Amino acid sequence: MTLPAAFYDRPVLEVAPDLVGCTLAHGDTAGVIVETEAYHQCEAACHAHVGVTARTHVLFRAPGTVYVYRSYGIHALVNLVCEAEGIGAAVLIRALEPLAGIRLMHERRGVAEEEQLCSGPGKLTQALGIELDLNGTDAIAGPLRVGPRPPEWEEVGIVIGTRIGITKAAELPWRFCAAGSRSVSRPWPPGFTPAPRRRVAVPREG
DNA sequence: CATGGGATTGACT
DNA sequence: GTCAATCCCATGC
């Protein structure tokens, strides 16, 4: 099951929180989206703010298009293009809770903690094997697939904060986190408290 | 054509 | 807390 193009053909500030709890899959790996940020051509932090260029033209394409770019020369960051064709807007996927292909994610990431496999925008693309060759592909029928919220995520709470790692338009509260998820990236937004770490019963003396 | 700045992460003091 | 790695591309000469 894949979300239709119409899901993305709405204001990016509606799509970004609605994507929290949905699933993202690539190859044999998948996760539940637990953190997103909205970007729109009207504000300076959005790559589309400079208009249509070789880098940004994908942001102006049809809703549901995948935008992947390289950050700091090292990491690939993945976005889903929103709003009508001709408007530059997208949702940055910032964190996932791993669902499938977890063994492969561990191999790609080289970390032991499952919470750290996809707890950042560069981490999740590494875990899912998302690279720049996916830029311009289609999130409805392409290799990257976005599915609706599983039943247990239907009533996920959203904690809102300001966007991370930007200098321009940094005051806008356009970051959306799944309440309680331990896979949300740092720093946590105000009012966010992670659910208690799952405990393993340990026999004690006494 | 040269330059500079990132929507980050991990290692280190 | 600091800092370097390293690629793409927007910008300016």
Side-chain angles (χ1 to χ4, degrees):
Chain A
M1 190 138 65
T2 302
L3 293 176
F7 177 86
Y8 305 96
D9 191 9
R10 295 183 292 148
V12 70
L13 285 175
E14 292 181 16
V15 180
D18 283 357
L19 277 169
V20 173
C22 295
T23 61
L24 181 72
H26 181 239
D28 295 326
T29 55
V32 175
I33 298 168
V34 293
E35 182 181 350
T36 63
E37 284 177 359
Y39 288 85
H40 190 279
Q41 63 179 70
C42 70
E43 43 88 16
C46 182
H47 292 170
H49 190 64
V50 299
V52 179
T53 65
R55 178 199 214 187
T56 66
H57 74 276
V58 171
L59 284 167
F60 293 86
R61 286 173 50 183
T65 300
V66 175
Y67 172 57
V68 185
Y69 73 97
R70 186 154 317 281
S71 174
Y72 290 94
I74 303 171
H75 304 102
L77 269 54
V78 65
N79 301 251
L80 300 166
V81 173
C82 295
E83 308 207 5
E85 188 164 4
I87 295 177
V91 175
L92 170 68
I93 309 301
R94 283 195 60 90
L96 310 174
E97 284 194 12
L99 260 188
I102 295 176
R103 180 178 308 242
L104 179 53
M105 290 185 184
H106 277 289
E107 287 175 15
R108 287 169 170 162
R109 292 273 298 124
V111 297
E113 296 260 343
E114 186 168 319
E115 288 170 10
Q116 295 179 35
L117 289 177
C118 300
S119 57
K123 296 176 184 178
L124 72 91
T125 55
Q126 185 185 15
L128 270 62
I130 295 169
E131 254 301 334
L132 298 202
D133 55 351
L134 290 184
N135 189 37
T137 61
D138 169 6
I140 292 95
L144 194 73
R145 304 171 302 283
V146 181
R149 288 178 177 167
E152 59 269 36
W153 287 87
E154 274 173 13
E155 305 200 14
V156 59
I158 305 287
V159 178
I160 298 176
T162 54
R163 297 175 296 182
I164 300 301
I166 56 173
T167 56
K168 299 172 238 175
E171 74 287 355
L172 298 177
W174 288 12
R175 180 192 185 198
F176 305 93
C177 303
S181 173
R182 299 195 61 88
S183 293
V184 168
S185 70
R186 306 290 191 98
W188 291 326
F192 181 90
T193 49
R197 188 186 298 274
R198 217 193 308 171
R199 302 234 178 143
V200 179
V202 178
R204 280 194 307 178
E205 299 177 37

